[in-house]
Amino acid sequence: MSTLTATRQATAWRAAPVGVIAASLFLLLIITAAITPTLFSMYDPLKADAAASLQPPSAEHWFGTDQAGRDVFARVVHGARYSLVVGFGATLLALMVGIIIGVIAGSAPRAVDSVLSRVIEIVMAFPEFLLALVVIAVIGAGETSLLIAVSVAAIPAYARVARAQTLLVRRSGYVRAATALGVPRFRSTIRHIVPNALGPLLVMGTIGVGTAIVAAAGLSFLGMGPQPPTPEWGLILSDGRNFLATAWWIAVFPGVAITATVIATSTVGRFLRQRGQS
């Protein structure tokens, strides 16, 4: 990266709105909690205490306790790891596969491009959540299955953008010059097309992390992700739905965590997209 580019990026972040800076700091906090949850809570998120069940938020239990007497704050903090692993992991996997499919479609002969494009359009006609449900139904429930299902559902969107970027970059002067000089197509694709097509996809992936987190939480809420007593946000939310009238805190706080994380990732992603277009 050149000094001028680095300077422009630093200036862009200094000029960022307060909301973007706050969202970035919140994401940093959530990532820290996912990596080292014991920095925020010393309670065991799996330890049950029947004598302390359904206690409201207090100085001892900031987010109260659930029906088994487990500290809700500790479960929300430890749940960040599961939600972020699925959110970032599924997005990264979908991004990688989508780039491969999109680059192949954009670089292949017209017949191959036409077939792949039609397949992508057909798959994109179905909602991502429905596709994830189908994948879960085929491979079964579980943490790994949840990550795979969310990533598979997101692949078509990344593949479509990757194809469009590939077609755009292929028409650029430097790619045509490389082809005229006898540079092999595969080498030209790796060295020129893929790096120049990555920018919009990475920004799209930043926004997609929030979508992946919501999808994972929804599937977990339906019992298709991690199983109890795993401290995963969607699963905690599902556990608390039967106690909304008597213990609202069990469902509210993980719901707030999901909402805030999605808003933060979307805010940062949209800011990056605006900077990329300017």
Side-chain angles (χ1 to χ4, degrees), residues 14 32-33 60 102 107 117 121 144 155 165 187-188 215 217-218 226 228 236 238 240 246 274:
R14 285 198 296 268
T32 304
E60 183 179 2
S107 303
S117 297
E121 291 175 359
T144 304
I155 286 174
Q165 287 298 120
R187 183 179 178 185
S188 177
I236 301 173
S238 178
T246 56
Q274 291 173 358

Side-chain angles (χ1 to χ4, degrees), residues 1-240:
M1 180 184 296
S2 64
T3 304
L4 179 59
T5 303
T7 302
R8 287 178 177 175
Q9 290 184 353
T11 303
W13 279 105
R14 285 198 296 268
V18 175
V20 175
I21 297 175
S24 303
L25 292 176
F26 178 79
L27 285 179
L28 181 61
L29 183 68
I30 291 295
I31 292 172
T32 304
I35 297 173
T36 55
T38 53
L39 287 178
F40 298 86
S41 176
M42 298 304 295
Y43 283 100
D44 185 348
L46 302 178
K47 184 178 180 180
D49 183 4
S53 63
L54 300 179
Q55 291 187 0
S58 62
E60 183 179 2
H61 300 286
W62 292 357
F63 289 179
T65 60
D66 62 9
Q67 65 276 17
R70 296 170 298 206
D71 185 79
V72 176
F73 179 73
R75 290 179 62 77
V76 171
V77 169
H78 283 76
R81 175 178 300 175
Y82 294 92
S83 295
L84 291 190
V85 164
V86 173
F88 283 98
T91 301
L92 180 61
L93 182 58
L95 186 61
M96 293 172 60
V97 177
I99 289 174
I100 294 173
I101 296 175
V103 170
I104 291 175
S107 303
R110 182 173 298 181
V112 177
D113 179 29
S114 179
V115 171
L116 289 176
S117 297
R118 297 296 84 76
V119 172
I120 292 172
E121 291 175 359
I122 292 172
V123 176
M124 287 190 67
F126 299 92
E128 289 188 12
F129 193 79
L130 178 60
L131 290 176
L133 280 173
V134 172
V135 175
I136 288 286
V138 172
I139 65 178
E143 297 176 24
T144 304
S145 299
L146 182 64
L147 190 152
I148 294 174
V150 174
S151 64
V152 168
I155 286 174
Y158 294 107
R160 186 176 184 179
V161 175
R163 174 186 174 274
Q165 287 298 120
T166 300
L167 293 174
L168 180 64
V169 176
R170 279 185 63 191
R171 300 188 184 100
S172 60
Y174 56 88
V175 174
R176 291 182 177 180
T179 303
L181 291 172
V183 177
R185 175 175 293 184
F186 179 79
R187 183 179 178 185
S188 177
T189 299
I190 298 299
R191 294 191 59 181
H192 300 293
I193 295 179
V194 173
N196 287 283
L198 273 178
L201 287 166
L202 292 177
V203 175
M204 181 181 175
T206 305
I207 300 175
V209 170
T211 304
I213 291 175
V214 171
L219 291 169
S220 295
F221 184 86
L222 296 175
M224 298 183 179
Q227 299 302 306
T230 305
E232 195 274 338
W233 288 347
L235 188 57
I236 301 173
L237 193 62
S238 178
D239 289 340

